[in-house]
Amino acid sequence: KPTFGENLTYFFRYQIAHMYFRYFMWNFVGRQNDVQSTGDPIDGNWMSGITALDKSRLGPVDLLPENLKNKGTNYFYFLPLILGLIGLVYQFKNRYQDGLVVMLLFLMTGLAIILYLNQGPSEPRERDYAYAGSMMAFCMWIAMGVIAIYNQIKTKVNPVLSAIIVTLICFAAVPYVMGKNGWNDHDRSGRYTMVAFASNYLNSCAPNAILFTNGDNDTFPLWYAQEVEGIRTDVRVVNLSLLNTDWYINSMKIKAYKSDPVPISMTIDQYRQGTRDVVYFIENESIKDPVELNEMIDFVLSDDPATKHFSSGRKIDYFPSRKFKITVDKNAVITSGTVPKEKADSILSKMEWSIKGYGVQKNHLAVLDMLAHNNWKRPVYFSITTGGDSYLGLEDYFQLEGLAYRLVPLKCSNNDGQTGSLNTTVMYDNLMNKFKWGNMQNPKVYLDETNLRMTMNFRNNFARLASSLIDEGKKDKAIKVLDRSMEVIPEVSVPYNYFILPIAETYYKAGAIDKANKITKRLTDLYEQNLKYFFAFDISFEKKIKDRKEQALAIMNRIAMITANYKQTALAKRAKEIFEKY
């Protein structure tokens, strides 16, 4: 249990300094970049643009590698802050009571919000919007700073001339500098990635599918695409976070757009809030083999006291085993098109899996209920961004078809250590023909951190598809896939990082040596810059950048291994020398 002193340290260092003062300085001093900060000196700090000062706080900023630069870098050189402080002093000196009013607004929409929210560590995204009112209050002082300078100058210069001088100086120092340096990361023109990616999620699915998504970022765009653009309204989007609520389960049981209700057998009394919010695993030692899923669901939903566990006078719903199975109706699988006829011999007679953890929450109980009663009538998909906890141990039956894994009664194996196997026919058509890219290949379009994270999934999927095509003996098609990747996700828009390595390696594998060498040479140059930058930090930063150093070294070592493996001696030698140097 933290002491009172430790709580105060957390309050001042994290809640005030990191989650408020840093945001304040972004607006009136400058910003390092648009990458969410976790407290290291490389991402999301305030930064003035005055090199000597920035180096004392953030290390060797003059050595910043090309692939770590982005449009979110805004240098304001303290000018807005200075003008605001001049205005603050001027107002308190001349209209003390008015100054108190503005100060009260500034504090109540800033520091008071900190006390009210009592933010925990590791927020899922930056929360600067919570303090917009406080920043607006400070802008009032910036305006008063202009008046203060004017009043000072007009005593020595003609009032009309002084007004012109002050207007020009203050405009150049603050709105011009802020507009010039801040415009490129506030300009959303030409960026259509949101609706394009949403369309890609939906078009990854077969007709009349059920698509499980997880959080806001991979759900709200899909709702927009269906509601406003009318894209693939036959697909039922099921948000797993909201599926923990009874009202959302209710909505899943009615028709939406062209999508039929999902096959949930539970009645409202069986999933009402406070009922079966968690179903625990209390394993019966006599049950050795996996139990049929529909029998397990019937057991959990039963009102029979024999199906309940009693603890401390409380009745608890539980699963008597964590091992499940679904007996597969092969005719239903083929009739629905889940597996094509030519693969009929590969269809399993039963799917068996187990679920880890203490139990399942209501959302996962609803998913299991759907699976128990679907009988392959509707295609079932999990988006690739939902994460392992949402897959319920079913990964052995996942088939990647784009931005979603399809649940199929096949043993899905792969050689790359990633989730699921690939349906190369469907995935090729999706990536090469159906998917849209939202103008992200245009270097003038601003791609923020969220967009760039999504591009990593695309690069990974292109590489996986190309590798699988090579395994099928289709090298020409594999090279076309890789070329398409380089076309729609160019370096000029999306800087190279670890996720470009599989593209290079697959080019080598396909025999396109020159194309692979172009990538590995460029990546070697970039990570030489990275290593020079990381190793130039003072020892006091060591703890915060240790992981970055190790990652850069691992990438350089991987480049050396790949190029040596494909007999690219000169590149391998250079990468090895850089690795050994650091």
Side-chain angles (χ1 to χ4, degrees):
K1 184 179 180 180
T3 65
F4 180 68
E6 288 168 337
N7 279 327
L8 284 179
T9 300
Y10 172 76
F11 172 65
F12 286 109
R13 287 180 59 184
Y14 181 76
Q15 293 180 323
I16 290 182
H18 189 74
M19 296 300 286
Y20 175 78
F21 183 72
R22 180 170 58 96
Y23 296 151
F24 177 83
M25 299 295 272
W26 279 1
N27 287 276
F28 305 111
V29 175
R31 185 176 182 179
Q32 186 179 29
N33 53 44
D34 65 3
V35 182
Q36 183 169 351
S37 173
T38 56
D40 66 42
I42 295 168
D43 290 327
N45 298 286
W46 69 266
M47 191 172 180
S48 67
I50 302 171
T51 303
L53 179 62
D54 293 333
K55 286 179 76 170
S56 67
R57 295 178 47 253
L58 302 173
V61 294
D62 52 331
L63 297 177
L64 190 69
E66 292 175 67
N67 62 329
L68 294 185
K69 295 177 181 177
N70 71 30
K71 293 179 180 179
T73 302
N74 300 322
Y75 296 145
F76 302 149
Y77 311 103
F78 282 92
L79 296 174
L81 178 66
I82 292 169
L83 191 57
L85 292 176
I86 291 171
L88 183 154
V89 173
Y90 173 78
Q91 187 180 37
F92 270 89
K93 186 176 179 180
N94 292 277
R95 298 288 292 270
Y96 179 74
Q97 289 181 325
D98 288 357
L100 285 178
V101 172
V102 178
M103 179 63 77
L104 188 63
L105 177 63
F106 177 71
L107 294 175
M108 292 303 291
T109 54
L111 293 177
I113 295 290
I114 292 172
L115 291 169
Y116 175 72
L117 293 177
N118 191 27
Q119 287 168 319
S122 302
E123 292 285 339
R125 63 186 65 84
E126 296 285 18
R127 301 298 190 187
D128 50 315
Y129 54 81
Y131 310 106
S134 184
M135 311 307 165
M136 291 175 186
F138 191 82
C139 288
M140 296 180 189
W141 284 321
I142 291 178
M144 291 173 199
V146 178
I147 299 172
I149 294 173
Y150 167 73
N151 285 339
Q152 188 68 28
I153 292 178
K154 78 174 182 178
T155 60
K156 301 174 183 177
V157 182
N158 178 284
V160 175
L161 181 59
S162 65
I164 295 171
I165 292 170
V166 169
T167 300
L168 290 174
I169 291 174
C170 291
F171 178 81
V174 179
Y176 174 74
V177 168
M178 296 180 79
K180 179 178 179 293
N181 292 330
W183 177 257
N184 59 355
D185 57 303
H186 287 78
D187 179 12
R188 306 296 191 269
S189 62
R191 190 175 84 189
Y192 301 102
T193 51
M194 182 274 286
V195 69
F197 294 170
S199 166
N200 295 342
Y201 272 107
L202 295 168
N203 283 321
S204 296
C205 302
N208 200 31
I210 297 170
L211 172 61
F212 293 114
T213 61
N214 194 31
D216 301 350
N217 287 353
D218 62 354
T219 304
F220 296 166
L222 275 65
W223 287 346
Y224 167 84
Q226 291 185 320
E227 177 71 27
V228 180
E229 305 280 345
I231 298 170
R232 291 300 305 275
T233 55
D234 60 303
V235 176
R236 190 54 169 266
V237 177
V238 181
N239 183 304
L240 292 172
S241 301
L242 296 177
L243 203 61
N244 268 317
T245 62
D246 50 14
W247 63 266
Y248 188 72
I249 297 176
N250 289 343
S251 72
M252 291 295 102
K253 298 179 74 174
I254 59 177
K255 188 178 179 71
Y257 310 115
K258 296 179 181 177
S259 165
D260 292 329
V262 298
I264 296 176
S265 70
M266 292 188 290
T267 64
I268 180 65
D269 291 335
Q270 293 172 324
Y271 61 80
R272 195 186 303 278
Q273 217 65 15
T275 305
R276 297 180 178 87
D277 291 338
V278 180
V279 179
Y280 296 95
F281 290 125
I282 303 175
E283 296 181 79
N284 186 331
E285 293 182 1
S286 65
I287 300 176
K288 304 296 184 184
D289 299 321
V291 182
E292 199 69 45
L293 178 59
N294 57 9
E295 294 176 13
M296 292 280 257
I297 295 297
D298 291 343
F299 181 90
V300 167
L301 299 181
S302 172
D303 291 327
D304 187 343
T307 64
K308 310 302 172 190
H309 179 80
F310 289 86
S311 175
S312 302
R314 291 176 60 240
K315 182 174 67 172
I316 298 174
D317 296 294
Y318 75 101
F319 284 114
S321 173
R322 64 176 67 247
K323 298 176 182 178
F324 299 82
K325 73 174 180 180
I326 295 176
T327 299
V328 178
D329 182 343
K330 290 190 177 184
N331 290 329
V333 169
I334 294 171
T335 301
S336 66
T338 303
V339 176
K341 289 182 180 179
E342 57 268 24
K343 287 190 175 182
D345 292 341
S346 301
I347 297 174
L348 301 171
S349 60
K350 57 185 176 181
M351 294 167 51
E352 297 181 345
W353 75 98
S354 63
I355 301 176
K356 297 178 181 178
Y358 61 88
V360 297
Q361 295 185 21
K362 184 179 296 176
N363 57 347
H364 291 147
L365 176 63
V367 172
L368 292 173
D369 188 6
M370 292 183 217
L371 297 180
H373 296 93
N374 185 43
N375 194 31
W376 309 106
K377 292 177 183 176
R378 297 178 68 175
V380 173
Y381 291 84
F382 291 80
S383 72
I384 63 173
T385 47
T386 53
D389 291 342
S390 299
Y391 296 151
L392 294 173
L394 289 162
E395 292 93 328
D396 286 345
Y397 308 101
F398 278 3
Q399 180 174 270
L400 184 62
E401 297 185 358
L403 288 180
Y405 298 109
R406 185 171 186 171
L407 185 67
V408 293
L410 303 171
K411 198 66 174 177
C412 297
S413 58
N414 60 69
N415 299 320
D416 56 14
Q418 298 189 61
T419 301
S421 62
L422 274 73
N423 184 328
T424 55
T425 302
V426 173
M427 197 163 172
Y428 184 90
D429 186 40
N430 283 335
L431 283 173
M432 300 295 284
N433 302 318
K434 290 184 180 179
F435 279 11
K436 301 174 183 177
W437 307 101
N439 210 20
M440 71 177 181
Q441 66 269 38
N442 185 344
K444 295 181 180 179
V445 170
Y446 170 55
L447 299 179
D448 61 12
E449 181 188 13
T450 305
N451 279 271
L452 291 176
R453 267 204 311 266
M454 194 64 203
T455 63
M456 302 306 107
N457 289 313
F458 284 119
R459 273 183 176 160
N460 184 54
N461 280 0
F462 273 115
R464 289 193 71 186
L465 173 59
S467 182
S468 294
L469 287 170
I470 292 169
D471 292 341
E472 294 175 3
K474 302 172 182 176
K475 288 187 177 182
D476 290 343
K477 287 186 78 172
I479 292 173
K480 287 181 181 178
V481 167
L482 297 172
D483 288 347
R484 181 66 170 159
S485 168
M486 300 301 291
E487 176 191 344
V488 298
I489 318 174
E491 185 194 7
V492 68
S493 299
V494 183
Y496 284 175
N497 58 15
Y498 169 78
F499 286 94
I500 198 67
L501 255 182
I503 298 287
E505 187 170 9
T506 313
Y507 264 132
Y508 281 129
K509 194 176 174 183
I513 303 299
D514 290 343
K515 293 178 179 181
N517 283 344
K518 186 177 179 181
I519 295 172
T520 51
K521 184 180 183 304
R522 175 61 175 156
L523 203 59
T524 303
D525 292 341
L526 288 172
Y527 275 89
E528 184 177 23
Q529 294 177 28
N530 276 254
L531 288 166
K532 184 178 180 181
Y533 172 57
F534 295 143
F535 279 86
F537 276 90
D538 184 84
I539 191 68
S540 60
F541 291 103
E542 178 62 29
K543 201 172 180 182
K544 291 183 177 179
I545 64 166
K546 183 173 180 259
D547 289 347
R548 301 272 195 154
K549 284 183 177 179
E550 291 177 352
Q551 184 188 61
L553 284 167
I555 290 171
M556 191 62 73
N557 188 44
R558 181 66 181 155
I559 294 170
M561 291 171 62
I562 292 171
T563 49
N565 189 43
Y566 288 95
K567 307 293 188 286
Q568 304 306 301
T569 310
L571 284 171
K573 181 182 178 183
R574 182 174 172 232
K576 187 177 180 182
E577 286 174 351
I578 296 170
F579 174 78
E580 290 176 348
K581 176 181 175 181
Y582 290 100

